[in-house]
Amino acid sequence: MEKERKSMNSSLLSEMSRRSFVKLLTAGGAAAMLHGGLLTPKAFAGPAKTAGGCKAFHSACQRNCYDTCAMLSYVDDGVLKYVEGDKQSTFTNGGLCVKGYSYPRRVYSPDRIKYPMKQIGRGTGNWKRISWEEAIDSICDKILSIKKEDGHLLGLALDKNSGSEGITNCAVIQGLFTGLGYTTRFEGSNCWPAGYDAQYFDFGDMVCNDPEDLANAGYIILWGVNPAWTSIHTMKFIYAAKERGAKVVCIDPVLTQTAAKCDEYLAPKMGTDGALALGMARHILDLGLADRGWVADNALGFPEFEQYLREKVTVQWAAEETGIPAETIARIAEEFAKAKPATAWIGYGLQRHTNGGRAVRSIDALVAMTGNVGKKGGGARYGQEFTWDFEYWPKSKMSPPAGSIGFVNPAKQKPGEPTVYSNRSLNRNQAAREMRKADPKIRMLWVSCSNPMSQYPNRNEMEKMYRGLDMLVVVDQFFTQTAELADIVLPTTTQFEEWQVNVSYWHYWLAINEQCIEPLFEAKPNTVISALVSKRMNELSPGSCTYQQDLTPKECMIRNFNDTIHKLNGISSWEDLLKGPVKAKRNPVSWAEGKFKTPSGKYEFLSAKAAEYGHPALPEYHSRRPNHDKFVILTPHTKFGLHSQFINLDWMRDFNPEPCVYINPNSARSKNIVSGDMVRVYNKFGEVAVKAQVTDNVPEDTLLMYEAWFKNDKFNVQNVLDDAVADMGAYQFGGHRGPAIQEQFANVEKM
Amino acid sequence: MQESQHEAQTLASLRDFFIAQDGAELEAAVGRLPEDLKSAVPAVPDWDAAEFDFNRFFVGPRILAAPPYASVYLSPEPQVMGEAALEARRIYAALGLQSPFDARLPDDHLSLELDALRIMQGGLSHTPSEPLKELRDCFVHEHLNVWVPLFARRVRMVAPEHTIIRFMADAVERCVESVAESKGRF
Ligand code: SF4
C-alpha cells in the first residue's frame, strides 16, 4: 500500500510554489497563528531545487576497507540523492560495492542516533534527551571530579578505533585526550598486528606493490583473503592478470566466492598456512628453483633458512600438517617458482592465529626466495602506510596541561632522573582482562568510531567491566550494542556531513571528502565535539585542557596536510583534490631498489629483531594451540558489512536478514541439525543462539559465523571468542600483540 | 468553544506533544488540549517514565518504534528526508513559511506538519481562499491523512507501556481524519 502511493499532486505543488500565501495569512488574521508556532516566515525565494539537477561532490568511503573508494555524491535541494564510484580513480573506476551504494540509506536511516541522550540506569533502555550543553557539562564535571579525587586522569580511558577512517577522526579525539592530561588508551589493532610485525622483521617496513600492478602478475596466490567480498575493486586487476594468462590460486579453509572464481583452490587445516609455505619452499629448494642470485644480492640468512628447511621440513610433513596432498603442494610450489613474476596476497585472516606472524614470515620467505620481491607483478602483498604521512593534527601537537600526572613506565624510568609521565596503554585485544587488572581503576570510558561490544573478544567479561564504570560515553551514528550500555550517547556525523581526507592501506590513491549536506538532527563531527569539551573544561577549570576550542572541521582537515603529502601526491595544496582524487607518485613496485629497512639493509630470512622480540630468528613453524572444544570457530568478514557497520541498513538486510552458523553436512548430521534449525553454539566463555545453514563450503571441523551487528538482534559472535593473542604484534604496536580470533573453539547443539 | 478554535487548540497541543524534549514539556502539551479531550486523557503517574516511552517511540537513541516522519511511511523504502519531506518543504514555502530547523530536522516531522495544517486552517477560517483551500486539501488528503493513520497504527501495534503515548497518537489520527472529512468547511 505504501509503495503504491503517488507523490502529492505535483502540478498543484509547482503551481503553489509560485505563490506565497503569507500575505494572505497575515492579512486575514492568521498572523496570530504564526506566533508561538514552529514554522517561521521566510522571504519567498521560489523553489529550492538545485539549478540543473544534482550537484556532485567529492567523497570518500571511510569504513576501514581495503578499497577506500573515491566517490562522487550527488546532492539536490540539500539532500543526498545517490553516490557512485569516482572514475578519476583508476582503482575505483566508477564502481562501489553493494555497501557503498547503500550510503544514502545510512545517512537517512530512521535509526540514526539523533540527539545527545542520557540513560537513566545503565542498560535499562530508559533514555532522556538532553542538550549538547548538558551532555558536555556532565562529561566535563565527571572528568574534573576524577582529577580531583584521583589526582590524575588515568581513570579516564579512550577507545577510539577505526570505524571512521577520516584523517581528522584518526587524530582529534586523541588530541582532545592529550589536551586533558595523561589518560588511559586502548591501543593495538584488531586487524593486522601479527602480519604487520612479520613484514617489519623481514622487510623493515610494511609496503606492498600497487594493487593495480596485480594485473602484471603471472601467478597469484590469494592466501587467506576473500577480495570478491572484501576488496571487490582489486578483483578486476586479478581478472586482468588471468586474461593475460596468469594462474590464480586461492588458499583458504573456507570455499569463499573468491575461491570459486580461482583456477585452483587449496583448503589447508586451520592454522597450518606456515607449514604449507615452508613445504613449498623445501620443494623449490629440492628442484633448484630458488633464485640464488637474488638472495645472494639482497638477503640475509638464506643459508640458515635453507638449513632449517633441509633439516626440519619435508613436503610429506607439510602434507600431513596441512591435509593437502604432497603432490599438490609440490606442483603449486613448482608453478609458483617457475612463473615470473609470481605474487602472494597475504590476507588478514591467516595471521589472526597464535602462529600467525610466523605464517606470514614463511610466505614472505617463499616469495623472496623465488626472487619475486621488488618485481613488477610480484611481491608479498599485505598492506601499506606510506600514503598516511599526514600531520595527525592535533594529536601530534598536543601537550597535557602543565603539572599533569600520568603513568610511570618502570622500564623507561631511570633512577635518580626526573619522573617521566606518559599515557597508560592497554591492549584492546584483551580489553576485559586489561580493565580488570588496571590499577588505578578505569572509571570513565569514551568510545568513538568503534563498537567494542561487537568487535572485541570475551564479550561477557567486557560487559561486566563496562557495567562497573562510573561513566561510559559513546559517540556513534547508530545505537550499537556498545551504545546500549552507555550513560551518554552523542550523535556524530556521516562523511557527507563533514570534511575529511582519506587514503587506503592498500591502494595508492588520496581523496578528499567534501561536506555536501548539513548534519542531520543534532549530529556533530568529532572535531566539534572535542572542541566543545575543551571549551567547557576551560570554563569550569581554566587551563584544564590545551586542546583547540574554535576550529572548523574543514580547517582541522586542512591542517593535516603537509609537504610530504603534497610532494608524494604531486599536489601543491589540498584544494587540488577538489578536482578529483590523485595517486601517489611512487614506484608501484615496492623494494624495487633492493634497499630494505631492516637493520642489515637486506631482506632478512634471519631476523635478529624477531629474536629480540622473543620469536625464532628464522620463519620457523609452530603448531597452533590445541582445540579446547569440538569445533574450530571462524568469524570472518561478511560481504554485507564492514565489521559491525552497514549490516543494520535495510538494503543489506534484504540480502542478509539474519545471522547464521554455517556447518558442514557431516557435522550437521552427527548433531541432528538441518538447515533452518535454531542451534546453540557454546563454549566455556558463553553462547549464541543462531540459525544453522548446512553447507559443504566449510570443513567438517569448523563452524563459521560472520562477525556482525544486526539491529534489534542480540546475536554476537564475540560471546564465544576468548582473548587469545597472536604470536606477533608487540614490536610495532606498543607491546600489544594481535588477536588470535580465527583460532577459537566451540560446540554446537540443536535448541 | 468554536469548532475552529477547538481544532486549532488540538493541533497546537498535538504539535507540542510530538516535539517535546522532556516529561515536563509532554505534560505541558497535554495540558493545552481542549477541555473535552483533556478529560479523556489517561492518568500519567510518572511523566519521567512516560518520557522514556516517548523516546523509545519517537526520539531514540534506540531504533524508533514509530518514527514521526512522513517519508518513513510514504517512501517506497522507509527513510527520513525522502520525497515526502521535500513535498512538505515545498508546501511550507508556498505558504511563505519555513522550518526553523533548516535541513537538520526533516521537514516532514509530524509536529511541523501539524503546525502547517494549523496555520492553513487558521488562514482559511479568516479569509476564504480557493487556492489555499486547494493546497490544504492536497496536503491533508494526499499526504497527512495517508501517513498519519499508518503512524498511529504502528504506535498501537508496538503497544506503548504508557497509555498517554497511544492516546495522543490516536488523537492525532482522529484530528487529521476530521479535517479530511470536513472537506468544504472554510
Ligand atoms: S566498503 Fe569498501 S568497496 Fe565498498 S564503497 Fe566502501 S571502500 Fe568501496
Side-chain angles (χ1 to χ4, degrees):
Chain A
M1 171 191 171
E2 292 172 32
K3 287 191 183 175
E4 285 162 15
R5 178 199 169 258
K6 292 197 202 81
S7 300
M8 264 194 275
N9 186 329
S10 54
S11 58
L12 174 71
L13 265 185
S14 52
E15 156 73 14
M16 294 302 171
S17 297
R18 288 192 288 278
R19 319 179 57 120
S20 169
F21 292 100
V22 76
K23 281 203 194 92
L24 172 86
L25 290 171
T26 44
M33 305 298 286
L34 297 176
H35 184 71
L38 287 174
L39 296 167
T40 54
K42 159 192 172 120
F44 188 66
K49 300 282 287 178
T50 308
C54 287
K55 183 171 184 300
F57 292 83
H58 292 288
S59 304
C61 180
Q62 25 193 274
R63 300 270 83 77
N64 189 353
C65 168
Y66 276 108
D67 291 10
T68 309
C69 291
M71 300 163 47
L72 289 171
S73 303
Y74 294 88
V75 173
D76 189 18
D77 213 356
V79 177
L80 175 69
K81 295 293 183 184
Y82 64 98
V83 293
E84 64 180 7
D86 191 338
K87 267 197 162 44
Q88 286 191 69
S89 158
T90 48
F91 185 78
T92 308
N93 196 27
L96 298 174
C97 74
V98 62
K99 304 181 283 285
Y101 286 117
S102 74
Y103 263 124
R105 310 300 301 163
R106 184 180 175 96
V107 176
Y108 298 122
S109 166
D111 301 341
R112 268 184 77 174
I113 297 176
K114 301 169 186 66
Y115 305 102
M117 305 287 294
K118 175 165 88 178
Q119 187 165 212
I120 312 301
R122 188 168 290 134
T124 58
N126 291 334
W127 292 90
K128 269 183 170 294
R129 179 170 163 188
I130 52 175
S131 64
W132 272 100
E133 289 72 28
E134 188 182 343
I136 300 293
D137 266 4
S138 314
I139 289 165
C140 294
D141 285 347
K142 186 70 209 171
I143 294 172
L144 285 170
S145 77
I146 291 174
K147 196 165 167 180
K148 191 160 165 224
E149 287 158 23
D150 296 357
H152 54 75
L153 277 179
L154 293 174
L156 169 64
L158 171 66
D159 197 340
K160 145 77 190 69
N161 214 330
S162 60
S164 208
E165 287 272 60
I167 294 297
T168 74
N169 278 334
C170 291
V172 290
I173 317 271
Q174 291 96 329
L176 168 69
F177 267 62
T178 304
L180 289 165
Y182 295 107
T183 56
T184 297
R185 315 289 177 92
F186 284 91
E187 289 175 335
S189 160
N190 314 104
C191 299
W192 57 5
Y196 194 108
D197 267 17
Q199 291 234 312
Y200 262 82
F201 293 139
D202 296 338
F203 298 93
D205 198 353
M206 177 204 60
V207 194
C208 59
N209 281 24
D210 181 354
E212 297 176 38
D213 156 78
L214 272 166
N216 300 316
Y219 202 95
I220 299 172
I221 297 185
L222 301 174
W223 206 318
V225 65
N226 181 13
W229 280 17
T230 61
S231 180
I232 59 159
H233 295 89
T234 308
M235 287 303 283
K236 63 179 169 285
F237 304 108
I238 295 169
Y239 281 128
K242 263 179 90 135
E243 274 162 28
R244 290 178 55 253
K247 177 167 179 179
V248 185
V249 176
C250 180
I251 301 177
D252 200 309
V254 179
L255 180 63
T256 62
Q257 265 189 7
T258 302
K261 292 168 197 308
C262 287
D263 298 299
E264 189 155 357
Y265 164 57
L266 310 184
K269 288 185 213 156
M270 284 293 309
T272 63
D273 303 86
L276 178 57
L278 294 173
M280 288 169 69
R282 170 66 200 261
H283 188 68
I284 287 167
L285 266 189
D286 290 348
L287 293 185
L289 290 174
D291 189 337
R292 290 190 179 273
W294 189 88
V295 295
D297 293 344
N298 298 287
L300 176 82
F302 186 68
E304 291 85 345
F305 182 53
E306 182 173 354
Q307 188 183 354
Y308 167 73
L309 290 177
R310 293 204 187 281
E311 285 174 4
K312 301 280 192 219
V313 174
T314 64
V315 175
Q316 192 51 45
W317 164 82
E320 280 156 23
E321 199 66 25
T322 61
I324 296 173
E327 316 77 69
T328 308
I329 297 176
R331 181 171 47 75
I332 296 288
E334 190 175 338
E335 288 172 4
F336 187 83
K338 285 183 174 165
K340 300 277 183 189
T343 188
W345 177 0
I346 305 163
Y348 304 141
L350 70 94
Q351 51 93 47
R352 285 170 157 135
H353 286 267
T354 55
N355 61 5
R358 294 180 189 206
V360 173
R361 288 202 69 204
S362 304
I363 300 169
D364 287 348
L366 173 70
V367 177
M369 72 185 284
T370 51
N372 279 304
V373 166
K375 299 282 161 58
K376 188 172 162 183
R381 299 158 191 260
Y382 189 69
Q384 64 82 13
E385 287 192 317
F386 70 84
T387 55
W388 291 71
D389 266 345
F390 291 90
E391 281 303 287
Y392 295 96
W393 193 92
K395 174 178 153 187
S396 55
K397 300 288 185 285
M398 281 292 125
S399 309
S404 296
I405 291 174
F407 178 69
V408 182
N409 186 340
K412 291 198 177 147
Q413 183 66 54
K414 302 216 172 71
E417 292 196 354
T419 312
V420 180
Y421 291 125
S422 65
N423 294 316
R424 175 172 58 176
S425 170
L426 305 180
N427 188 354
R428 55 168 49 104
N429 293 312
Q430 294 187 310
R433 180 192 298 255
E434 297 264 79
M435 283 176 86
R436 184 175 292 285
K437 66 173 201 237
D439 181 16
K441 186 175 177 303
I442 294 171
R443 299 177 56 186
M444 175 174 177
L445 174 62
W446 179 298
V447 175
S448 187
C449 308
S450 185
N451 176 12
M453 279 297 148
S454 301
Q455 295 299 140
Y456 294 2
N458 224 349
R459 187 200 183 275
N460 293 331
E461 279 299 301
M462 286 278 294
E463 184 171 335
K464 277 186 212 152
M465 291 298 109
Y466 273 38
R467 284 186 184 273
L469 293 164
D470 296 359
M471 182 183 272
L472 173 62
V473 178
V474 172
V475 183
D476 211 321
Q477 294 161 1
F478 290 98
F479 190 70
T480 62
Q481 290 191 357
T482 304
E484 276 175 31
L485 297 172
D487 299 288
I488 292 180
V489 296
L490 302 176
T492 193
T493 36
T494 64
Q495 76 245 35
F496 306 97
E497 299 157 307
E498 64 181 33
W499 282 85
Q500 275 299 353
V501 56
N502 284 82
V503 281
S504 159
Y505 45 80
W506 180 234
H507 63 65
Y508 292 9
W509 287 87
L510 164 68
I512 201 149
N513 179 85
E514 300 176 78
Q515 181 184 347
C516 62
I517 55 170
E518 287 303 310
L520 264 278
F521 302 100
E522 292 188 7
K524 292 187 191 296
N526 277 311
T527 37
V528 174
I529 297 172
S530 299
L532 286 174
V533 171
S534 183
K535 189 158 185 289
R536 188 63 185 143
M537 284 295 292
N538 281 299
E539 282 164 5
L540 292 170
S541 170
S544 61
C545 185
T546 61
Y547 184 83
Q548 56 146 83
Q549 295 177 42
D550 53 4
L551 201 65
T552 66
K554 185 177 176 183
E555 286 163 350
C556 188
M557 185 271 302
I558 294 169
R559 284 208 189 188
N560 276 290
F561 283 83
N562 57 25
D563 281 349
T564 314
I565 288 291
H566 291 159
K567 209 164 149 234
L568 177 68
N569 294 288
I571 55 173
S572 53
S573 144
W574 69 273
E575 285 168 280
D576 292 352
L577 297 172
L578 295 173
K579 291 183 223 122
V582 294
K583 191 175 180 181
K585 310 285 175 277
R586 184 184 191 273
N587 189 343
V589 179
S590 295
W591 312 116
E593 304 79 24
K595 289 196 188 91
F596 295 90
K597 292 193 185 160
T598 53
S600 65
K602 305 224 171 223
Y603 176 89
E604 295 194 357
F605 288 98
L606 184 77
S607 165
K609 196 52 121 181
E612 187 187 318
Y613 276 84
H615 312 296
L618 291 168
E620 293 173 12
Y621 183 67
H622 191 281
S623 333
R624 67 169 172 83
R625 65 174 173 157
N627 288 19
H628 65 65
D629 219 318
K630 189 165 168 50
F631 293 92
V632 170
I633 1 178
L634 287 180
T635 57
H637 297 181
T638 164
K639 180 179 182 174
F640 304 104
L642 242 148
H643 301 301
S644 62
Q645 306 194 73
F646 285 116
I647 297 158
N648 60 313
L649 301 183
D650 54 354
W651 284 8
M652 295 302 122
R653 290 165 67 87
D654 281 350
F655 297 110
N656 185 35
E658 60 183 344
C660 292
V661 58
Y662 296 86
I663 180 167
N664 183 280
N666 292 337
S667 313
R669 212 170 298 118
S670 74
K671 294 278 184 179
N672 196 24
I673 291 168
V674 296
S675 282
D677 280 348
M678 280 305 287
V679 299
R680 194 169 81 92
V681 177
Y682 63 96
N683 59 19
K684 57 188 171 187
F685 307 107
E687 63 177 63
V688 279
V690 63
K691 198 176 264 184
Q693 285 287 344
V694 178
T695 169
D696 52 14
N697 286 356
V698 297
E700 220 169 304
D701 67 345
T702 300
L703 301 173
L704 184 147
M705 296 179 281
Y706 292 106
E707 59 160 5
W709 169 71
F710 288 84
K711 74 175 192 183
N712 287 336
D713 194 321
K714 289 203 171 319
F715 172 80
N716 194 328
V717 293
Q718 308 298 336
N719 284 350
V720 286
L721 303 189
D722 72 8
D723 64 357
V725 284
D727 49 352
M728 294 180 191
Y731 173 33
Q732 289 295 320
F733 290 84
H736 302 320
R737 292 192 278 159
I741 53 169
Q742 304 300 11
E743 204 173 309
Q744 302 283 336
F745 313 99
N747 208 336
V748 63
E749 68 182 19
K750 196 166 164 169
M751 286 177 81
Chain B
M1 189 191 280
Q2 275 189 346
E3 200 181 349
S4 62
Q5 262 180 337
H6 183 274
E7 184 187 82
Q9 200 178 334
T10 307
L11 282 167
S13 161
L14 291 167
R15 172 200 67 198
D16 295 345
F17 183 84
F18 284 102
I19 206 159
Q21 300 204 13
D22 56 29
E25 287 186 13
L26 290 173
E27 187 177 9
V30 171
R32 286 195 283 276
L33 281 169
E35 281 310 321
D36 60 324
L37 274 174
K38 208 170 4 180
S39 61
V41 167
V44 181
D46 178 353
W47 278 101
D48 267 350
E51 179 187 344
F52 300 147
D53 221 15
F54 179 86
N55 289 340
R56 218 164 271 147
F57 273 78
F58 314 124
V59 179
R62 303 201 310 187
I63 292 155
L64 304 187
Y69 306 96
S71 71
V72 169
Y73 303 87
L74 301 179
S75 304
E77 295 168 299
Q79 68 166 118
V80 300
M81 215 51 122
E83 191 46 39
L86 302 178
E87 285 173 354
R89 189 183 294 177
R90 288 198 284 276
I91 296 264
Y92 308 156
L95 293 168
L97 299 172
Q98 65 184 358
S99 159
F101 305 106
D102 298 321
R104 283 176 291 121
L105 182 71
D107 299 77
D108 56 352
H109 185 281
L110 178 58
S111 291
L112 289 170
E113 295 200 347
L114 293 176
D115 203 38
L117 180 60
R118 183 188 64 95
I119 291 166
M120 286 191 211
Q121 291 292 82
L124 288 169
S125 72
H126 286 89
T127 314
S129 153
E130 264 317 304
L132 179 58
K133 185 170 173 305
E134 207 182 338
L135 184 68
R136 188 272 320 266
D137 287 346
C138 166
F139 184 48
V140 172
H141 290 282
E142 295 181 38
H143 185 87
L144 267 169
N145 202 31
V146 181
W147 80 268
V148 167
L150 299 173
F151 162 77
R153 192 170 73 194
R154 180 95 68 99
V155 173
R156 285 192 291 273
M157 256 167 49
V158 186
E161 261 172 53
H162 290 263
T163 40
I164 185 66
I165 308 286
R166 177 171 171 173
F167 178 88
M168 294 301 268
D170 288 345
V172 81
E173 182 182 19
R174 274 198 311 274
C175 182
V176 168
E177 234 171 45
S178 107
V179 177
E181 279 166 10
S182 68
K183 199 173 177 184
R185 187 156 65 88
F186 306 137

